[in-house]
């Protein structure tokens, strides 16, 4: 047969009677049959159990001592087997947003991997975003001496019940202007205009600094 396969030879777990089977890799495969025909014995007790056992063998001796009971599967040979994830048919989480990643906890590992290994880039200009110090940021600002910098803070209005009340609270806190759609507007005019329903986010002007 051509193409990548998972080959199982001599599977004898539970109701499996020394069977031999080849499963195509990178495909969706359904194991079906009557009750007691050995579906779970093949998928869980043979394939998944062997993939889990091979993974545990890569751990340290101390970790393997803590994780006992990883016996070899009752099978003569399994070839082409990759690391596997088994999702139970039950529903341990009732969250409708649960995915294979969250149920198997692979999401946490991927998030850790991307946080430690990935190289972030700006989604707007594509430049690499690396760690920097306050001194380096100050030196970069000095390249723009003689100009006035505006410092803005994003403020989300999407969840605000009374947007006009929120704008008035910003005014009482001492903020006077905000940028909306690239245009700098007075907060007082925004509060009295009555056109806040379509606003989801504004950029409040925090300060204006002359770079010298």
């Amino acid at each position: 047969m051509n193409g990548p396969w998972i080959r199982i030879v001599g599977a004898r777990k539970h109701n499996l009677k020394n069977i031999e089977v080849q499963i195509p890799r990178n495909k969706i495969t359904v194991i079906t049959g009557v009750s007691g025909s050995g579906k779970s014995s093949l998928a869980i007790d043979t394939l998944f159990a062997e993939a889990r056992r091979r993974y545990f063998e890569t751990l340290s001796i101390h970790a393997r001592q803590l994780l006992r009971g990883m016996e070899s599967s009752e099978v003569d040979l399994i070839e082409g087997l990759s690391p596997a994830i088994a999702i139970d048919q039950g529903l341990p989480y009732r969250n409708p947003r649960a995915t294979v990643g969250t149920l198997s906890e692979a999401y946490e590992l991927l998030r850790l991997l991307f946080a430690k290994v990935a190289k972030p880039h700006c989604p707007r200009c594509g430049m690499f975003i690396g760690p920097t110090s306050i001194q380096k940021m100050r030196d970069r600002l000095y390249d723009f001496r003689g100009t006035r910098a505006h410092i803005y803070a994003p403020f989300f209005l999407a969840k605000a019940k009374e947007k006009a009340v929120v704008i008035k609270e910003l005014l009482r806190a001492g903020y006077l202007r905000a940028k909306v759609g690239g245009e700098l507007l007075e907060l007082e005019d925004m509060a009295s205009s009555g056109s806040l329903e379509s606003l989801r986010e504004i950029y409040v002007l925090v300060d204006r600094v002359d770079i010298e």
Side-chain angles (χ1 to χ4, degrees):
M1 294 183 178
N2 297 324
W5 298 83
I6 300 174
R7 182 176 175 228
I8 306 170
V9 178
R12 299 178 299 275
K13 189 72 173 180
H14 300 314
N15 292 338
L16 301 177
K17 304 302 181 182
N18 201 37
I19 70 167
E20 180 176 348
V21 63
Q22 291 190 127
I23 301 174
R25 289 170 55 88
N26 304 321
K27 301 289 184 180
I28 296 178
T29 300
V30 178
I31 303 174
T32 184
V34 298
S35 177
S37 60
K39 304 182 296 296
S40 298
S41 298
L42 178 62
I44 303 298
D45 299 324
T46 302
L47 277 174
F48 175 65
E50 180 63 14
R52 182 176 56 178
R53 185 191 65 81
R54 293 182 183 183
Y55 167 70
F56 284 146
E57 285 185 348
T58 65
L59 302 177
S60 64
I61 296 177
H62 176 69
R64 278 182 283 175
Q65 290 176 345
L66 298 176
L67 301 170
R68 298 178 180 177
M70 295 294 109
E71 300 178 356
S72 299
S73 303
E74 296 182 28
V75 62
D76 293 336
L77 175 68
I78 297 183
E79 294 179 334
L81 186 61
S82 299
I85 294 174
I87 303 299
D88 186 57
Q89 61 183 353
L91 294 175
Y93 302 101
R94 298 296 177 180
N95 192 333
R97 294 186 297 275
T99 65
V100 172
T102 56
L103 289 173
S104 62
E105 298 182 356
Y107 171 76
E108 302 296 335
L109 299 175
L110 286 173
R111 186 169 64 173
L112 178 63
L113 177 66
F114 276 88
K116 296 295 183 181
V117 180
K119 297 180 179 180
H121 291 74
C122 175
R124 293 185 178 180
C125 65
M127 290 183 62
F128 170 70
I129 303 174
T132 185
S133 63
I134 295 178
Q135 182 62 45
K136 289 183 178 179
M137 288 187 284
R138 185 185 301 129
D139 294 341
R140 185 174 180 184
L141 284 174
Y142 284 158
D143 294 336
F144 301 92
R145 288 180 179 176
T147 60
R148 170 167 287 191
H150 290 196
I151 302 175
Y152 294 93
F155 197 88
F156 299 96
L157 296 174
K159 295 183 179 180
K161 295 181 179 179
E162 294 290 340
K163 296 182 180 180
V165 175
V166 175
I167 296 298
K168 291 179 180 179
E169 289 179 355
L170 289 172
L171 283 168
R172 282 196 295 269
Y175 302 106
L176 301 177
R177 301 175 182 85
K179 183 179 288 188
V180 179
E183 184 180 1
L184 190 62
L185 302 177
E186 299 285 339
L187 288 176
E188 190 171 354
D189 295 339
M190 292 172 57
S192 58
S193 64
S195 59
L196 298 174
E197 288 299 324
S198 60
L199 288 181
R200 293 293 179 267
E201 181 183 28
I202 62 176
Y203 289 85
V204 179
L205 180 61
V206 177
D207 200 359
R208 290 178 289 187
V209 181
D210 293 325
I211 302 177
E212 298 292 346

